Amino acid sequence: MSKDLSLRSLLGSTLLPPSEARILMAHVLDKHYQLPRSALLSRDDMQLNDGALENWRSLVSKRLQGHPIAYLIGKRGFHNIELQVAPGVLIPRPETELLVEIGLREIKRIQNEVTAPNVLDLGTGSGAIALAVAHEAPTALLTATDQSFEALAIAQANAQHLGLNSRIQLLQGSWYEALADKALFDVILSNPPYIAIQDPHLSQGDLRFEPISALTDHASGFTCLEVIIKGALNHLKPMGLIAVEHGFDQSEAVGELMKSAGLQNIRVHQDLSGHFRVTSAMSV
């Protein structure tokens, strides 16, 4: 009697959690058969061909080794858009959507005064923050920087796929170094590396597979934040806003950096888990 290789059997016998198994199987069905996720139910007696079966087993094996699902399927949803992701960029996370919301609120606040708000995303990675803002704020013009050519290539592909490439300028360089000296913005957003190099989380979970330079500054966790905050006044328009993501226990220190840099109206913002994950401030 031949072995049952139906979707029902394969999903039922895997060691993966059911939710993860369904995501991976839906990816296999889309890749090999151009079938929608609903086929997991409507065609659960379907037998995979050799190529699809090999792909499924490879994905399961890698996931059991800890590889992030986002890298295995090559995409991740983020704030109403879907982004291409690969091991060369950080996987966008729900808490970073808080930065997007803060940026969008500021754009809404100034929209009567500024016809085309200029927004800067420092260390853009996959382009998540900049492209999410561009998607929701049709009048905004985005500039995004990253020192990684690999990351910028992925950001460019995402901009093209989302039809937003005409509204975003991608620049290679470290933080503000990629900009013209007198470039000024209404809003600056950034999710920089803020994990201290000795933090044990770097060797756990998905972080093991993500680019180390996007996670840690290889020091205290504050060096990139300090560069971004200290340089903000040189690139913010009068009453412009800067908002940075940081660790749940770093808000007080980040606020002090902003105060020392001459920024005003310093505020801390909670994510959906109740952690203070973003601090914002304004120029004079």
Side-chain angles (χ1 to χ4, degrees):
M1 184 177 179
S2 62
K3 188 175 181 180
D4 184 1
L5 298 178
S6 67
L7 305 187
R8 184 192 316 109
S9 175
L10 292 171
L11 289 170
S13 61
T14 180
L15 297 176
L16 292 176
S19 59
E20 295 187 1
R22 287 193 292 271
I23 291 172
L24 296 181
M25 184 62 83
H27 173 68
V28 171
L29 293 179
D30 178 49
K31 178 179 178 181
H32 292 270
Y33 302 98
Q34 292 75 54
L35 288 173
R37 185 184 176 92
S38 59
L40 293 174
L41 294 175
S42 63
R43 301 186 59 176
D44 66 345
D45 59 345
M46 173 182 172
Q47 303 270 330
L48 294 185
N49 62 33
D50 290 345
L53 183 60
E54 181 181 356
N55 189 199
W56 160 253
R57 287 172 173 165
S58 174
L59 291 171
V60 170
S61 175
K62 288 180 178 179
R63 181 55 187 157
L64 289 173
Q65 294 170 36
H67 289 261
I69 286 179
Y71 288 162
L72 294 178
I73 66 174
K75 59 187 177 181
R76 180 66 171 257
F78 178 80
H79 202 281
N80 302 323
I81 59 176
E82 187 172 81
L83 297 159
Q84 173 187 331
V85 294
V89 295
L90 196 69
I91 298 170
R93 289 171 168 77
E95 55 265 31
T96 303
E97 295 188 10
L98 178 58
L99 267 181
V100 176
E101 292 295 337
I102 291 168
L104 291 172
R105 283 202 300 268
E106 182 63 11
I107 289 170
K108 185 177 181 180
R109 186 186 73 80
I110 66 175
Q111 65 184 0
N112 292 330
E113 305 166 17
V114 183
T115 55
N118 283 295
V119 181
L120 173 64
D121 174 17
L122 292 170
T124 194
S126 65
I129 295 168
L131 294 172
V133 170
H135 181 261
E136 299 292 330
T139 62
L141 299 175
L142 282 295
T143 300
T145 74
D146 205 293
Q147 64 180 353
S148 166
F149 286 104
E150 185 178 2
L152 288 173
I154 293 172
Q156 181 62 59
N158 281 321
Q160 185 74 30
H161 177 70
L162 293 165
L164 297 170
N165 49 305
S166 64
R167 291 177 40 222
I168 183 169
Q169 181 182 31
L170 296 166
L171 302 175
Q172 192 277 329
S174 178
W175 310 125
Y176 300 108
E177 292 176 10
L179 304 172
D181 288 343
K182 296 184 179 180
L184 295 176
F185 299 88
D186 299 290
V187 180
I188 296 176
L189 305 172
S190 185
N191 175 22
Y194 55 74
I195 302 176
I197 190 60
Q198 70 272 18
D199 193 310
H201 290 96
L202 291 171
S203 59
Q204 300 171 7
D206 286 357
L207 299 190
R208 294 172 294 164
F209 298 89
E210 296 183 78
I212 189 71
S213 61
L215 294 167
T216 178
D217 59 358
H218 301 280
S220 65
F222 286 99
T223 57
C224 296
L225 285 162
E226 188 170 4
V227 169
I228 291 166
I229 291 167
K230 282 187 173 181
L233 285 181
N234 294 327
H235 293 283
L236 278 174
K237 295 179 183 179
M239 298 304 294
L241 177 134
I242 179 173
V244 296
E245 183 175 326
H246 49 69
F248 72 94
D249 57 351
Q250 295 175 319
S251 60
E252 186 175 347
V254 169
E256 286 300 317
L257 285 172
M258 289 181 165
K259 183 178 179 181
S260 298
L263 295 161
Q264 63 180 11
N265 195 25
I266 299 166
R267 295 179 56 197
V268 292
H269 306 264
Q270 288 181 317
D271 64 14
L272 293 176
S273 299
H275 297 129
F276 292 115
R277 295 302 296 265
V278 172
T279 300
S280 67
M282 301 188 76
S283 60
V284 292

